Amino acid sequence: MATLGQIIFYSMITLIVLFSALIILILALTFSNSLSEVTSSNTMPVANIGKDELLNCNLRTEQTRISDVSVTWEKAGLKGLVYKYKNGAPDLKDQNSQFNGRTQLFPAAVVAGNGSLLLRDVRSSDAGEYTCSISSSVGGGRVNINLRTAAFSAPTFKFSSGALTAEASRWLPKPNVTWSDHVGNILKGNTRLTQNSAGIFNVVSTLQPVNVSDTYTCRIENNLVIAISRATVTGSDVSGTTYFTYNTASTLLASAYLSIITCVLCIYYLT
């Protein structure tokens, strides 16, 4: 059994370690940002499988046109490159076959420091960490982008026999559906999920009874994407709008959480 003095001592050591790690992390991020002139407006995008996705990468410069621009896109764990642009043209001799014919940069944008990559027909296997590196006559740097992949679509609504039905044809990972009324009260709906040969889920969810002229919210979500739809029943018709939000929770927070839990358990067992 640890004494009170030992508990206080180990608690102080734990706090010192945690605060030191936090300070080192802040300094490292600040220092790396000062060295790199390359940024991305979205370092954790969620791409819709089967659709096109633009991975953002920009060189910070006040000049509208720069020279000697080279852009290289790499993916962690991948043999070969995703894409390379050099000497005013694509250089694809080392491109991995997984990306043949599916990647593109925009030359008119590259000379302005924009090295954003268009990735066509996104696949589940495209998920991973990408690095965009830019060098030029005015500077350069690199930025890491963590691409997540999912399937998601907005639901369509119909009203029949007093029931409001929402159907969305493409969702992955497996989603959950929640209904609520115009003041936020949770309502009980009946949801059916069917999976096709590609593993994509079709979502059909029915709410009954509903009141004509009332507005209802249908929320379809998984760990990556949330679709929030508001549907208003107007006679035999339904008017609805949908918007999407994306989970940008950092794995850094998860790591910090695990570290804190570990420290708490150590203190517990010492006592």
Side-chain angles (χ1 to χ4, degrees):
M1 178 71 67
T3 65
L4 179 61
Q6 288 176 316
I7 295 173
I8 295 174
F9 173 77
Y10 286 119
S11 298
M12 292 298 295
I13 291 296
T14 299
L15 289 174
I16 291 170
V17 170
L18 287 175
F19 280 115
S20 298
L22 181 61
I23 292 171
I24 292 171
L25 176 62
I26 293 172
L27 289 175
L29 289 174
T30 303
F31 186 63
S32 63
N33 287 337
S34 66
L35 288 178
S36 177
E37 298 175 348
V38 174
T39 62
S40 175
S41 61
N42 188 0
T43 58
M44 296 188 69
V46 178
N48 201 345
I49 296 171
K51 308 296 183 180
D52 297 346
E53 180 71 15
L54 185 69
L55 303 184
N56 183 269
C57 177
N58 290 280
L59 175 66
R60 291 182 294 195
T61 175
E62 295 180 358
Q63 300 186 28
T64 57
R65 188 176 183 86
I66 57 179
S67 59
D68 301 325
V69 185
S70 175
V71 182
T72 302
W73 280 88
E74 302 170 276
K75 183 185 178 187
L78 183 76
K79 184 178 180 180
L81 301 176
V82 175
Y83 196 92
K84 186 173 184 178
Y85 185 94
K86 188 176 182 180
N87 297 325
D91 181 3
L92 305 181
K93 62 179 182 297
D94 295 324
Q95 185 181 47
N96 186 283
S97 59
Q98 175 183 338
F99 295 97
N100 286 349
R102 296 200 300 125
T103 50
Q104 178 186 343
L105 263 64
F106 303 93
V110 170
V111 296
N114 187 339
S116 299
L117 179 78
L118 178 63
L119 179 59
R120 294 191 180 90
D121 189 19
V122 170
R123 306 168 183 172
S124 296
S125 58
D126 290 334
E129 184 174 334
Y130 291 74
T131 300
C132 170
S133 304
I134 301 180
S135 63
S136 74
S137 58
V138 298
R142 61 175 57 196
V143 64
N144 293 328
I145 297 172
N146 181 18
L147 177 65
R148 285 95 44 87
T149 58
F152 49 95
S153 61
T156 57
F157 293 91
K158 64 179 182 180
F159 178 65
S160 178
S161 302
L164 178 61
T165 300
E167 181 171 1
S169 59
R170 302 179 64 257
W171 276 86
L172 187 76
K174 185 178 180 180
N176 294 314
V177 181
T178 306
W179 288 92
S180 58
D181 61 18
H182 67 285
V183 294
N185 296 317
I186 301 300
L187 305 175
K188 185 177 181 180
N190 181 28
T191 300
R192 184 177 74 254
L193 303 176
T194 55
Q195 202 170 12
N196 64 19
S197 58
I200 307 296
F201 288 92
N202 181 74
V203 181
V204 178
S205 188
T206 301
L207 180 67
Q208 190 176 29
V210 297
N211 299 319
V212 175
S213 299
D214 280 0
T215 297
Y216 299 90
T217 298
C218 176
R219 181 185 176 107
I220 307 175
E221 64 183 309
N222 54 35
N223 62 324
L224 294 175
V225 186
I226 302 173
I228 299 176
S229 303
R230 291 187 173 87
T232 302
V233 180
T234 55
S236 60
D237 197 10
V238 182
S239 61
T241 58
T242 299
Y243 66 92
F244 295 94
T245 62
Y246 305 95
N247 180 8
T248 57
S250 172
T251 54
L252 203 58
L253 293 177
S255 299
Y257 174 78
L258 289 175
S259 297
I260 293 171
I261 292 298
T262 301
C263 292
V264 171
L265 288 176
C266 288
I267 295 171
Y268 174 80
Y269 282 113
L270 284 171
T271 59

